[in-house]
C-alpha cells in the first residue's frame, strides 16, 4: 500500500478502529438469512432519503426510527458500510469497486459481521479461513475483511468493465452468482451518502461526476426474459413467433415497427438512416441514427449520438424494461459507444457495426451499461 494511502486510511479509519470490539461483535440470534433469501430486486431507491438516514445514524441516532429499504438493522449495518467505503478510499479503490464491495457484503451477510456461515465462512464477506482468506480472528475484523476483498477484486482483469454481479462473482465464486445484482442500487446510494462524509473523496476520478453517473447508470438486475428462447436468430430477420407486445406504448410501437423495416440493411458509421434501402451509403443507419429516425417517425425528437442519447428521457432499471427503451453498451455508463432498442420478449434491435446489417439480438448478449426511457 502506498504511504499516502496508509496515511489516508489512518485518518479515515481511526474512528472505526476506536470502536474496536463493538464493531467486531458476533451477530445476534435473529441474524439475517444468507445466500439467495431475498426474492426481489431493490429498485427506485430514494438516494436523498438514504443519505439523510445514513447521516443521522453516523451522527449518533439510535436507528430505531430509521427505515432504509433493504436494511433491517441500519444501526448495525450502516457503520459496517462506512468501514467498507473508508477502506476502499484508503486503498484508492474507485467508486465502482466500493459499490461492488457493498453489494457483495449485502448479499453475503446483509452487512453484518457474522460469526458463522456456510462451512467455515465468517464475517461481512463470508470469507473462509480454509480458503486462505486469513484467520477467523482476522476475517471478523471488518477492516481486514474489506482490505482482503478489495485486494482480490483489483487482481481481476477488466473488473471495471464488468457488471457489479460479474465482478463480485469473480472474487466470491458463489453458488448464487446472479444474486449480487439485486443490491446494486442500494449499494450505490450507500456509497454516495457515505463518501460525502469524507473530505478527500473528490480526488477520485469516479466521484467527480456523481450526478451524471447516477443518472445514466443502472442496477444489474436482469430483465425477466433474455431472448434465449428464440434460439439462433438469422441476421436481418424477425425471429419466428415474435410480435410487438400488445401493451407497448403506441409511440414505442411506431418506433419499433419503423426500425424493423430497416432489418437487413447494412450498417454505415455516420449514416443518417434517412434512406437505409437506397443507393447512397450515407443514407444507411448506424446505431444511434437508427434510434433517432425510428423515434422521429413516432413524433419524438432524439439527439444524434450515443453520447447524448444516454441523457435523453429518464433512467430505468433493466428489470423494468419496456418495449422502446434504449439500451446502451460498450464504453462506460456516462459515455457509451453503442445503443439498441428493447423490443420486449428479451430482444433488442440494433445496427451493430461495420459489415453487419440491422438485426435483432437476444438481450442476454448485451452488457447493459445504461437504460433510458424516452417516451
Amino acid at each position: 500500500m502506498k504511504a499516502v494511502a496508509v496515511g489516508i486510511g489512518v485518518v479515515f479509519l481511526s474512528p472505526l478502529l476506536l470502536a474496536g470490539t463493538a464493531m467486531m461483535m458476533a451477530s445476534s440470534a435473529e441474524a439475517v438469512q444468507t445466500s439467495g433469501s431475498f426474492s426481489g430486486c431493490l429498485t427506485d431507491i430514494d438516494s436523498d432519503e438514504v443519505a439523510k438516514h445514513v447521516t443521522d445514524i453516523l451522527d449518533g441516532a439510535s436507528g430505531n426510527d430509521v427505515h432504509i429499504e433493504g436494511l433491517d438493522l441500519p444501526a448495525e449495518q450502516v457503520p459496517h458500510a462506512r468501514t467498507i467505503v473508508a477502506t476502499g478510499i484508503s486503498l484508492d479503490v474507485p467508486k465502482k469497486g466500493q459499490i461492488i464491495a457493498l453489494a457483495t457484503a449485502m448479499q453475503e451477510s446483509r452487512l453484518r459481521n457474522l460469526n458463522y456461515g456456510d462451512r467455515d465462512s465468517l464475517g461481512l464477506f463470508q470469507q473462509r479461513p480454509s480458503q486462505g482468506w486469513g484467520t477467523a480472528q482476522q476475517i471478523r475484523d471488518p477492516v481486514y475483511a474489506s482490505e482482503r476483498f478489495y485486494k482480490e477484486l483489483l487482481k481481476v482483469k477488466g473488473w471495471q468493465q464488468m457488471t457489479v454481479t460479474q465482478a463480485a462473482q469473480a472474487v466470491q465464486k458463489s453458488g448464487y452468482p446472479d444474486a449480487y445484482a439485486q443490491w446494486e442500487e442500494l449499494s450505490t446510494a450507500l456509497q454516495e451518502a457515505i463518501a460525502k462524509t469524507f473530505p478527500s473523496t473528490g480526488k477520485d476520478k469516479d466521484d467527480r461526476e456523481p450526478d451524471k453517473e447516477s443518472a445514466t447508470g443502472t442496477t444489474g438486475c436482469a430483465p425477466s426474459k433474455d431472448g434465449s428462447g428464440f434460439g439462433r436468430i438469422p441476421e436481418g430477420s424477425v425471429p419466428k413467433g415474435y410480435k410487438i407486445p400488445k401493451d407497448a406504448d403506441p409511440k414505442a410501437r411506431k418506433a419499433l415497427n419503423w426500425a424493423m423495416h430497416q432489418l437487413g440493411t447494412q450498417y454505415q458509421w455516420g449514416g443518417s438512416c434517412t434512406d437505409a434501402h437506397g443507393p447512397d451509403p450515407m443514407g444507411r443507419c448506424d446505431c444511434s441514427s437508427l434510434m433517432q429516425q425510428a423515434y422521429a417517425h413516432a413524433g419524438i425528437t432524439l439527439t444524434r449520438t450515443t453520447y447524448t442519447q444516454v441523457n435523453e428521457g429518464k433512467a430505468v432499471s433493466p428489470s423494468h424494461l419496456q418495449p422502446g427503451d434504449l439500451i446502451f453498451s460498450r464504453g462506460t455508463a456516462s459515455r457509451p459507444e453503442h445503443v439498441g432498442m428493447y423490443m420486449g420478449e428479451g430482444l433488442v434491435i440494433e445496427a451493430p457495426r461495420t459489415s453487419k446489417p440491422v438485426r435483432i439480438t437476444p438481450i442476454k448478449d448485451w452488457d447493459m451499461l445504461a437504460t433510458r426511457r424516452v417516451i
Side-chain angles (χ1 to χ4, degrees):
M1 188 187 305
K2 295 177 291 185
V4 66
V6 173
I8 293 172
V10 170
V11 171
F12 283 146
L13 299 177
S14 56
L16 301 168
L17 293 174
L18 287 173
T21 57
M23 292 196 65
M24 296 168 56
M25 289 170 54
S27 297
S28 58
E30 62 271 17
V32 292
Q33 299 289 324
T34 59
S35 293
S37 63
F38 186 78
S39 60
C41 179
L42 288 178
T43 58
D44 302 322
I45 295 292
D46 188 332
S47 298
D48 292 336
E49 193 71 12
V50 170
K52 178 183 181 301
H53 291 319
V54 165
T55 301
D56 289 344
I57 289 174
L58 294 180
D59 284 345
S62 69
N64 293 333
D65 298 322
V66 172
H67 174 71
I68 300 175
E69 185 178 5
L71 300 184
D72 298 325
L73 297 168
E76 178 179 354
Q77 293 162 307
V78 169
H80 288 321
R82 187 175 191 269
T83 300
I84 292 170
V85 172
T87 305
I89 292 171
S90 75
L91 294 173
D92 290 329
V93 177
K95 171 182 175 179
K96 182 173 181 178
Q98 297 168 35
I99 292 170
I100 292 167
L102 289 168
T104 301
M106 277 300 306
Q107 174 58 25
E108 298 292 351
S109 69
R110 298 300 186 268
L111 276 173
R112 300 185 69 186
N113 194 18
L114 301 178
N115 64 352
Y116 61 88
D118 178 44
R119 287 167 284 190
D120 58 338
S121 299
L122 297 167
L124 291 173
F125 297 91
Q126 289 291 278
Q127 295 156 335
R128 298 178 60 191
S130 65
Q131 299 298 311
W133 287 94
T135 66
Q137 182 178 6
Q138 287 174 322
I139 290 171
R140 297 222 38 256
D141 176 344
V143 175
Y144 172 89
S146 299
E147 287 182 348
R148 286 289 284 118
F149 178 85
Y150 284 127
K151 288 177 180 179
E152 293 304 312
L153 174 66
L154 296 176
K155 293 178 184 178
V156 176
K157 185 176 181 180
W159 69 269
Q160 293 195 64
Q161 284 70 53
M162 296 179 178
T163 63
V164 166
T165 196
Q166 288 169 339
Q169 176 63 6
V171 175
Q172 298 295 103
K173 298 176 176 60
S174 168
Y176 299 85
D178 299 320
Y180 303 103
Q182 62 192 327
W183 304 110
E184 183 175 351
E185 193 165 330
L186 173 60
S187 297
T188 300
L190 286 172
Q191 190 280 335
E192 291 177 351
I194 293 168
K196 290 176 182 177
T197 68
F198 298 124
S200 71
T201 56
K203 71 185 179 69
D204 293 332
K205 179 179 179 182
D206 282 1
D207 292 334
R208 284 200 287 264
E209 298 180 323
D211 294 336
K212 187 173 184 180
E213 187 72 16
S214 62
T216 59
T218 64
T219 73
C221 301
S224 58
K225 296 182 180 180
D226 65 4
S228 59
F230 290 99
R232 180 182 174 277
I233 305 172
E235 288 190 336
S237 67
V238 178
K240 184 178 180 180
Y242 172 80
K243 292 183 179 180
I244 298 175
K246 293 180 179 179
D247 59 352
D249 184 280
K251 291 184 178 180
R253 179 179 294 277
K254 286 184 179 180
L256 283 167
N257 185 63
W258 189 89
M260 290 167 67
H261 277 84
Q262 316 315 310
L263 284 169
T265 61
Q266 287 297 306
Y267 175 97
Q268 176 61 52
W269 185 84
S272 64
C273 203
T274 53
D275 188 12
H277 296 272
D280 182 0
M282 296 312 295
R284 299 172 189 168
C285 309
D286 65 13
C287 65
S288 54
S289 66
L290 177 63
M291 304 298 107
Q292 182 188 48
Q293 292 302 316
Y295 267 112
H297 284 79
I300 293 177
T301 300
L302 298 183
T303 51
R304 175 62 182 85
T305 70
T306 56
Y307 308 135
T308 54
Q309 288 177 0
V310 75
N311 297 312
E312 304 274 9
K314 64 178 181 180
V316 293
S317 167
S319 62
H320 293 146
L321 285 176
Q322 295 178 6
D325 288 346
L326 303 186
I327 300 174
F328 297 85
S329 68
R330 305 176 198 164
T332 65
S334 60
R335 192 172 175 80
E337 298 172 0
H338 187 55
V339 61
M341 186 183 298
Y342 186 61
M343 304 176 67
E345 302 299 320
L347 298 175
V348 184
I349 189 167
E350 62 170 346
R353 62 182 182 274
T354 300
S355 80
K356 292 290 185 179
V358 175
R359 65 185 182 182
I360 294 172
T361 53
I363 202 169
K364 68 180 180 63
D365 294 342
W366 283 68
D367 182 12
M368 290 183 284
L369 297 174
T371 48
R372 308 289 294 187
R373 184 164 299 152
V374 297
I375 298 174

